[in-house]
Amino acid sequence: MSDFPASWQFRSPKARLALWFGWLCLVALFVWCWQVMNERTIWMFVQDAPKQAADIGGRMWPPRWSYLGELMVPLWDTLNMATLGTLLGVILAVPVAFMAARNTSPFPLILRPIALFIIVASRSINSLIWALLLVAILGPGLLAGIIAIGLRSIGFIGKLLYEGIEETDIRQVEAITATGASQAQVLNYAIVPQILPAFWGITVFRWDINIRESAILGLVGAGGLGLKLQNSLNTLAWPQVTLILLVILATVVLSEWVSAKVRAAII
Amino acid sequence: MLELQGLTKTYKTGDTALSDVSFSVPKGQIVGLIGPSGAGKSTLIRCINRLVEPTSGRIVLGGRDLTGLGVRDLRAQRRRIGMIFQEYALVERLSVMENVLSGRLGYVGFWASFTRRFPPADIQRAYRLLDRVGLMTHADKRADALSGGQRQRVGIARALAQEPELLLVDEPTASLDPKTSRQIMRLLVEICTESGLPAIVNIHDVPLAQQFMQRIIGLRAGQVVFDGTPAQLTESALTEIYGSEDWTAMRKGHEDDKDAEADALRRLSVLPA
Amino acid sequence: MTTYPTTWRRPPQIFTHRGWRIGLQLAALIYLVFAIGTLEVSWARIAEGGERGMRFLMGFLSPDFSSRWRDISQGLIESLTMTLTSTVVGVAISIPIGIGAARNVAPAWIYAICRSIIAISRALQEIIVAIFFVAMFGFGPFAGFLTLSFATIGFISKLLAEDIEDIDEAQAEAIRATGASWAQLINYAIQPQVMPRLIGLSLYRLDINFRESAVIGIVGAGGIGATLNTAIDRYEYDSAGAILLMIIALVMVAEYSSSYLRKFLQ
Ligand SMILES: Nc1ncnc2c1ncn2[C@@H]1O[C@H](COP(=O)(O)OP(=O)(O)OP(=O)(O)O)[C@@H](O)[C@H]1O
Ligand SMILES: [Mg+2]
């Protein structure tokens, strides 16, 4: 396990002692955690794993290419889920970001903590969990997926955007204020131009992530490729699973390429 | 006509940047504000358009008291005061034209400014100003594509687009080379004299102030310690403003510059042509 | 006296060609109409959902920690143990792979192998990996532990390799010049430069692994995610609300303490 030596820098003896103690704690904690995990593992299954792996691997190949036609609609659904979800996320995240940023928040004392909580809550809950909840509430379908993606995106976009807003150049803002511009005009003329490139970069970046996430949201019933994956897994149709995974992989690679191109063009 | 009465500013940190500053600037007068670093020059200028909120005192511009105005009234009064900044403070990602037109923001509504549909008269004025500062052909360039001197010209055009009754200028030349500095100062002074516009110019460079200003106010530790014509600004007055040590150092620095310049010239002249 | 123009339009910023611009806007509009058109929204179901949504919101506002406390605490302990063990193991495996994936210290064939491992680990999503590990190793935290370790390898190795490639060549040269062996080079020139970053990254990954551990439980890999899944399946929204609040709180604690620790160690 942790085979890195602890004294990578010269420190005072006291700090070094503290560091050694820290490592010791880590080792002890690791051993304890390992034991807890062992208790809850059925080792018979683990010993059986190589056989299982070989078995699944054998069944997975070759992919069932004829299934590809059936995947086109789910693929379209997945792309829509990501795109519309990102759109929803952006629409919700922008006001939250402006409320969270110290220099633009209208009532910092009340609105800032609220906005920051929204951001933290959205960020700490994975889109799959959001989808799980929304499917339970709204029923299975794309709508639940879109809202899940949107809710998860608020935190990501909101956080990066509000940090961007806080880093804007105060002198440009002052210069526009000094012309007698209203608050809204200052926002429009001094702050928005400064954060616009970051905004597009963040949005495209999130869209790229959302493509990956929307591909699996179907596992909990939110439609798209994940739904087909779930069905194929349930019926143990391994050749179909392989094909779906390949389609997901291709989509992800493509979207990553698109997002890298767009971001390079913006910056 | 601008009148300051007992202007005082104490920052939250406890620094008293201005204490009881009073003077008035009649129409058409160009005032140079000099003083050592930290004397409160920027604070004074920013108090006048209330980018910094003064602690006490009155600021009267053309009969209107600017202190204690509400948000809406303050906006209307700020349009009357043009401001030019040391580091230009242009919105870098907007075009030159948008930067100049942003001087009209106090006059147009949000929607018109959002869609960039300014009244024809405003656009005409913006073009005229750009021509005046010699940047007619750069109107659609982005501000961050300009040189320092060009950016400061845009800054001047933006301030003038407000059709101000007073110009506040905070170290307009501190980020420019000596030659460009002179050009910018000359342009500023010309424009002010053309339209009888009063200006307060905060300036580091004493010789530059003496060359271009009609009146000089010396600030030290937040208090006015000199107020007179450039001719009255004698050695002893300068020592009073800057303190003897600083002033000697400054003059020496100046002479060093001159010596170096002369030296360079001498060397150049002996080089074979 | 010259006259000046009275009109001015803002020049287009990105797409300077008018046809392109309009075409693009039109395409975006048509896409939106189509995409929204293919949504099959069952309004009856949503109306029904409104009432459930309210119940969930109430559950979130008045969370019930006590009635399922045994399940929740068990799920949390599983998640936390998974998080820690997988981070430690993942980082330990990442170090050799990261060194192997740095172009300036590894031979070409090792570089190729290590980079492929990284690429595979990054391309496969945690959830999909978890599905396979659950199929192979059975339900429970062990599959989760393997999943997170696997994901950690891709993350840490890649960033570590980039760090090593970015190190100050001058220092490495100086050590090489003394006739040091390869191991000594790693130990004296590389390690001091990348160690602080590596610790920072590990803490960051610890934080990510906790979040992920809450998710992979949904497909059977143990942890708090499994507990949450059960709670939602049983429509016990007050327990679900309690679990979500605990996840949020723990993520916040993890984020703050990891950034604090990173600052302290730097
Ligand atoms: N935002 C602020 N908060 C607290 N104190 C400030 C602030 N701005 C300025 N001060 C203090 O007020 C005093 C005057 O500062 P000011 O910037 O007005 O000086 P200045 O004459 O413009 O100096 P310089 O020539 O260096 O620009 C200084 O002591 C400074 O530390
Ligand atoms: Mg200053």
Side-chain angles (χ1 to χ4, degrees):
Chain A
M1 46 148 304
S2 61
D3 53 357
F4 18 81
S7 56
W8 43 274
Q9 208 173 294
F10 283 110
R11 294 168 182 280
S12 67
K14 208 170 149 194
R16 251 159 81 179
L17 205 67
L19 213 61
W20 274 110
F21 185 70
W23 284 115
L24 200 71
C25 285
L26 183 65
V27 172
L29 202 64
F30 175 79
V31 171
W32 181 73
C33 286
W34 187 261
Q35 266 166 358
V36 168
M37 205 169 63
N38 273 356
E39 276 168 26
R40 304 197 183 174
T41 308
I42 304 166
W43 287 100
M44 209 176 70
F45 283 142
V46 176
Q47 278 155 12
D48 201 30
K51 229 178 80 204
Q52 287 287 334
D55 185 39
I56 295 173
R59 283 162 201 258
M60 281 179 76
W61 205 258
R64 196 181 144 211
W65 294 107
S66 59
Y67 191 55
L68 196 59
E70 267 181 65
L71 288 183
M72 285 303 119
V73 174
L75 179 61
W76 166 251
D77 283 346
T78 294
L79 293 178
N80 285 342
M81 199 147 68
T83 311
L84 296 178
T86 311
L87 203 64
L88 178 71
V90 167
I91 292 172
L92 296 174
V94 168
V96 172
F98 277 104
M99 283 195 282
R102 226 172 256 119
N103 49 344
T104 53
S105 191
F107 302 103
L109 236 54
I110 313 164
L111 285 182
R112 261 200 98 218
I114 295 177
L116 288 177
F117 179 75
I118 293 175
I119 289 174
V120 170
S122 153
R123 263 161 48 82
S124 21
I125 300 177
N126 192 289
S127 52
L128 204 68
I129 296 180
W130 281 119
L132 194 68
L133 280 176
L134 287 160
V135 167
I137 293 171
L138 297 174
L142 282 184
L143 190 68
I146 290 172
I147 299 177
I149 294 275
L151 289 179
R152 173 63 184 85
S153 303
I154 295 176
F156 183 90
I157 299 174
K159 175 161 193 275
L160 293 178
L161 196 61
Y162 103 76
E163 285 171 354
I165 296 172
E166 286 190 346
E167 277 166 24
T168 49
D169 181 3
I170 178 84
R171 289 169 307 183
Q172 301 181 28
V173 177
E174 278 184 341
I176 298 294
T177 311
T179 65
S182 66
Q183 286 274 316
Q185 285 172 327
V186 172
L187 221 57
N188 181 220
Y189 272 72
I191 292 177
V192 169
Q194 289 190 60
I195 58 166
L196 213 52
F199 169 78
W200 286 115
I202 296 165
T203 305
V204 173
F205 189 24
R206 187 64 219 184
W207 174 77
D208 175 20
I209 299 175
N210 282 345
I211 296 257
R212 292 159 182 265
E213 304 216 320
S214 63
I216 50 161
L217 287 192
L219 288 175
V220 295
L225 286 170
L227 200 59
K228 289 282 175 194
L229 183 64
Q230 180 73 319
N231 292 340
S232 302
L233 282 169
N234 284 346
T235 55
L236 299 178
W238 292 105
Q240 292 182 18
V241 171
T242 317
L243 186 72
I244 296 170
L245 292 186
L246 286 176
V247 170
I248 292 179
L249 197 66
T251 319
V252 166
V253 169
L254 201 71
S255 77
E256 198 161 297
W257 180 79
V258 170
S259 119
K261 279 275 166 226
V262 172
R263 275 184 290 158
I266 293 168
I267 301 160
Chain B
M1 160 109 178
L2 171 78
E3 212 178 329
L4 304 182
Q5 295 164 4
L7 202 62
T8 300
K9 170 70 193 174
T10 308
Y11 280 107
K12 276 202 204 88
T13 53
D15 293 284
T16 300
L18 294 176
S19 54
D20 195 24
V21 171
S22 305
F23 62 85
S24 62
V25 183
K27 196 168 157 48
Q29 191 176 57
I30 306 173
V31 182
L33 200 59
I34 63 172
S37 188
K41 306 184 293 291
S42 300
T43 305
L44 175 57
I45 281 199
R46 291 161 154 268
C47 273
I48 294 174
N49 64 358
R50 283 181 51 197
L51 282 180
V52 168
E53 206 59 49
T55 315
S56 66
R58 271 156 53 88
I59 305 156
V60 184
L61 179 65
R64 259 322 276 265
D65 187 357
L66 302 188
T67 44
L69 289 178
V71 178
R72 194 167 277 275
D73 290 330
L74 181 62
R75 260 192 80 191
Q77 294 308 313
R78 273 184 178 153
R79 331 190 278 217
R80 300 166 60 202
I81 306 171
M83 187 154 182
I84 295 168
F85 297 80
Q86 172 182 342
E87 275 148 338
Y88 330 121
L90 300 183
V91 182
E92 310 233 315
R93 303 192 65 92
L94 292 183
S95 66
V96 168
M97 192 61 177
E98 281 169 293
N99 268 292
V100 178
L101 285 173
S102 68
R104 301 302 295 172
L105 287 177
Y107 296 87
V108 301
F110 175 74
W111 191 243
S113 67
F114 181 76
T115 55
R116 310 299 199 252
R117 286 179 206 284
F118 287 83
D122 286 1
I123 290 165
Q124 203 168 22
R125 181 182 303 105
Y127 272 117
R128 198 183 66 230
L129 287 168
L130 276 178
D131 198 17
R132 178 70 188 81
V133 298
L135 291 174
M136 192 64 176
T137 52
H138 298 281
D140 283 335
K141 266 195 192 166
R142 243 170 58 173
D144 55 8
L146 300 181
S147 72
Q150 288 172 331
R151 288 188 204 197
Q152 195 55 293
R153 289 161 191 272
V154 178
I156 294 173
R158 172 174 67 189
L160 294 175
Q162 289 173 234
E163 300 196 297
E165 294 163 43
L166 172 71
L167 215 49
L168 300 175
V169 192
D170 195 358
E171 306 207 16
T173 61
S175 312
L176 301 174
D177 63 72
K179 185 159 168 268
T180 320
S181 297
R182 255 155 237 283
Q183 288 171 349
I184 292 288
M185 283 309 283
R186 193 162 296 126
L187 181 69
L188 260 176
V189 171
E190 273 173 22
I191 287 175
C192 287
T193 5
E194 272 165 27
S195 45
L197 185 62
I200 300 180
V201 185
N202 169 351
I203 194 167
H204 243 111
D205 189 334
V206 175
L208 209 60
Q210 282 174 314
Q211 183 181 351
F212 288 103
M213 300 296 133
Q214 301 164 358
R215 173 183 168 194
I216 288 178
I217 291 179
L219 219 54
R220 180 175 184 181
Q223 282 171 322
V224 177
V225 291
F226 175 86
D227 189 347
T229 62
Q232 291 169 326
L233 194 64
T234 56
E235 287 284 305
S236 63
L238 282 165
T239 313
E240 161 89 32
I241 298 169
Y242 287 99
S244 59
E245 259 167 51
D246 278 0
W247 171 238
T248 326
M250 242 171 108
R251 195 178 46 188
K252 183 140 188 326
H254 220 75
E255 274 162 10
D256 283 353
D257 279 355
K258 266 193 196 149
D259 286 352
E261 233 168 87
D263 193 42
L265 274 177
R266 215 170 36 245
R267 278 159 201 255
L268 277 174
S269 64
V270 294
L271 283 178
Chain C
M1 157 110 210
T2 46
T3 52
Y4 297 97
T6 52
T7 55
W8 169 83
R9 295 299 310 139
R10 181 166 192 257
Q13 303 291 300
I14 303 170
F15 299 102
T16 37
H17 188 277
R18 187 147 183 272
W20 266 107
R21 207 164 61 244
I22 294 176
L24 225 72
Q25 283 166 355
L26 219 64
L29 195 74
I30 291 172
Y31 167 77
L32 261 188
V33 170
F34 260 93
I36 294 174
T38 49
L39 282 184
E40 280 160 17
V41 180
S42 141
W43 292 109
R45 183 67 186 72
I46 288 175
E48 189 188 327
E51 183 252 345
R52 281 193 198 180
M54 280 315 293
R55 268 182 46 212
F56 171 70
L57 211 63
M58 292 315 295
F60 202 72
L61 292 178
S62 59
D64 175 11
F65 289 92
S66 53
S67 58
R68 293 261 163 219
W69 178 245
R70 265 185 57 82
D71 292 346
I72 296 176
S73 64
Q74 237 186 12
L76 267 180
I77 289 178
E78 266 182 27
S79 267
L80 290 172
T81 51
M82 244 195 294
T83 307
L84 187 85
T85 47
S86 64
T87 309
V88 171
V89 171
V91 169
I93 300 176
S94 298
I95 292 172
I97 296 183
I99 295 173
R103 201 176 290 123
N104 52 348
V105 293
W109 62 278
I110 292 185
Y111 173 79
I113 294 175
C114 291
R115 282 284 165 176
S116 341
I117 295 175
I118 292 176
I120 294 172
S121 158
R122 288 174 61 82
L124 294 176
Q125 280 191 37
E126 275 98 339
I127 286 289
I128 293 173
V129 175
I131 290 173
F132 278 91
F133 279 142
V134 169
M136 284 193 275
F137 294 89
F139 290 99
F142 192 71
F145 156 73
L146 288 177
T147 307
L148 295 179
S149 305
F150 182 73
T152 305
I153 292 172
F155 180 87
I156 299 274
S157 305
K158 175 161 185 279
L159 295 175
L160 183 64
E162 280 169 8
D163 273 353
I164 297 177
E165 285 175 356
D166 282 348
I167 60 158
D168 185 2
E169 260 308 307
Q171 286 187 35
E173 274 308 309
I175 303 279
R176 261 193 215 113
T178 63
S181 71
W182 186 82
Q184 284 168 326
L185 177 76
I186 300 288
N187 191 2
Y188 284 91
I190 311 243
Q191 190 201 328
Q193 289 192 52
V194 298
M195 200 61 189
R197 270 278 287 174
L198 179 63
I199 291 178
L201 286 176
S202 307
L203 287 170
Y204 183 39
R205 186 66 215 188
L206 193 72
D207 179 12
I208 299 178
N209 277 349
F210 177 73
R211 288 170 208 225
E212 292 296 331
S213 78
V215 181
I216 53 179
I218 295 174
V219 294
I224 190 80
T227 321
L228 180 66
N229 201 3
T230 324
I232 292 176
D233 275 350
R234 291 184 187 143
Y235 300 108
E236 290 173 354
Y237 290 133
D238 40 6
S239 294
I243 296 172
L244 285 179
L245 282 175
M246 288 185 73
I247 294 178
I248 295 176
L250 272 171
V251 166
M252 271 171 83
V253 169
E255 201 171 316
Y256 280 111
S257 51
S258 99
S259 73
Y260 174 79
L261 258 176
R262 265 180 283 168
K263 248 185 232 136
F264 172 76
L265 286 170
Q266 231 101 103

